[in-house]
Amino acid sequence: MNTVEVSNITKSYAKVQALQETSFTVSKGELFGIIGPDGAGKTTLFRILTTLLKPDNGKATVFGYDVVNEYKHIRKIAGYMPGKFSLYQDLSVKENLEFFATIFATTIEKNYHLIKDIYSQIEPFKDRRAGALSGGMKQKLALSCAMIHKPEILFLDEPTTGVDAVSRIEFWEMLQKLKNEGITIIVSTPYMDEASLCDRVALIQSGKILQIGKPQQIIEEYNMPLFALKSGNTYNLLNYLEKLAECEHVYPFGQYVHFIPKNKNISTEMLVNIIKKDYPEVEVTKISPNIEDCFMNLMRDV
């Protein structure tokens, strides 16, 4: 059963097209990731699915309810955590949670079991103002507020952006627990390494879905040789490789430069022999792609 169905959704802001005929489905109980950089259209998509924004064209449903005509039904069953911390900074942790519980005609006590694993970590600070919390604690409070009315689906827009590495790990562990309880989760992130934590992902750029599938499946469909190169000056090496006749595609990757040759049969030794006359100290290693390499390759057609 599909809990979310998106069909040819488009949305523009003046001359900027935020979404271009976007289509995908999400199954019940799935942890589905929307992966892409800032400005890719993730937030616009989430605002449409949570009934805060109307699409220009296309259709979208959540649990069978149309996002435009049946928005009241969706708001009762959905929990939404926007990318920017949007709780009341001057209210305490407990006051924020009580406020959201009251809006949905429930209480903290009635649904405490839903948020216990999350809220218990920040409950010792329940009297602290929300604005004084750390980044990780703010995210846990926001998730608790999104969960307090027992939603059937969660929309989490970049929930781990701006938090430390430990908090990121803890947050994804919490999402896995919620998924195991049968809650459908749609989460967006600019961090490519988080793609592997999702059941399926949609890679998005410039409002266009580039590919949808299981993370490992997307990686396995990558059918080009890939090399990681390193030298003392990454910028100069990048410019040099771009001008090589053998270059199909090249891009920076941390301390390395990732290089795709036109010749699929080229070996590491052959590539070293081509480059060493200009870069005798260069390190060349043939590598397996990750999801970010797949994304960079797909971006060439955007």
Side-chain angles (χ1 to χ4, degrees), residues 163-170:
V163 301
D164 62 87
V166 174
S167 294
R168 282 178 63 191
I169 293 171
E170 290 178 345

Side-chain angles (χ1 to χ4, degrees), residues 179-196:
K179 174 187 175 300
N180 292 338
E181 293 176 10
I183 297 174
T184 304
I185 302 171
I186 302 181
V187 56
S188 72
T189 177
Y191 301 128
M192 296 291 165
D193 60 311
E194 293 184 344
S196 62

